[in-house]
């Protein structure tokens, strides 16, 4: 792919349902992406290989989602200087708080931009926003997306508005 694209990776196929929300956001914004499964712990060599290949092949932003002892986003960040967005995933007995703390507490020098527990949609939008800093057409689509969200809030308000005056 010659245009900037997003590399998405998750620790297990059990993460796919949540991580597909990142794909949905990128589809809506017409941003190309690839999605893979690779584990920081179970397949460390595969993780390194996928990230270094994607980096070499023009991936502009990396999204990594993992649950439990969620080291995948940090490991991805170790192999690239491109922006990495971490998605802490729920599903553990600690309901994702474990993953949140693992993803957000990166050591100084190796940042991971962390979204909310299960926040894969925001990860997709944030990745698009990063690419849009150098892509005016994509910036326009992001502005249109914001406007339609605002319009839908007004529409919802109309349905619930009630006056007691
Ligand atoms: C993490 O362990 C994965 O990201 C997943 O959220 C969790 C459980 O993985 P599975 O046992 O379902 O493969 O590494």
């Amino acid at each position: 792919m010659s245009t900037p694209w997003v590399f998405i990776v998750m620790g297990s196929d059990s993460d796919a349902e949540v991580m597909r929300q990142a794909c949905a956001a990128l589809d809506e914004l017409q941003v190309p992406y690839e999605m893979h499964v690779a584990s920081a712990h179970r397949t460390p060599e595969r993780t390194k290989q996928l990230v270094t290949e994607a980096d070499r092949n023009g991936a502009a932003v990396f999204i990594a989602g993992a649950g439990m002892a969620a080291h995948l986003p940090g490991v991805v960040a170790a192999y690239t200087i491109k922006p990495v967005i971490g998605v802490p995933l729920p599903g553990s007995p600690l309901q994702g708080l474990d993953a949140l703390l693992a993803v957000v507490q990166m050591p100084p020098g190796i940042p991971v931009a962390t979204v909310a527990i299960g926040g894969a949609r925001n990860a997709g939008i944030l990745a698009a926003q990063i690419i849009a800093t150098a892509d005016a057409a994509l910036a326009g689509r992001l502005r249109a997306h914001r406007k339609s969200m605002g319009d839908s809030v007004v529409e919802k308000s109309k349905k619930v508005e009630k006056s007691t005056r």
Side-chain angles (χ1 to χ4, degrees), residues 22-83:
C23 301
L26 292 169
D27 282 335
E28 287 165 32
L29 293 162
Q30 299 166 46
V31 176
Y33 59 87
E34 280 182 12
M35 186 160 82
H36 301 270
V37 174
S39 164
H41 308 114
R42 293 166 173 160
T43 64
E45 284 303 321
R46 172 180 165 77
T47 302
K48 178 183 178 183
Q49 188 187 335
L50 282 170
V51 172
T52 50
E53 269 174 23
D55 198 354
R56 208 171 35 240
N57 292 332
V61 183
F62 290 74
I63 297 175
M68 305 182 81
H71 296 134
L72 184 61
V75 168
V76 171
Y79 290 120
T80 181
I81 58 159
K82 310 269 179 61

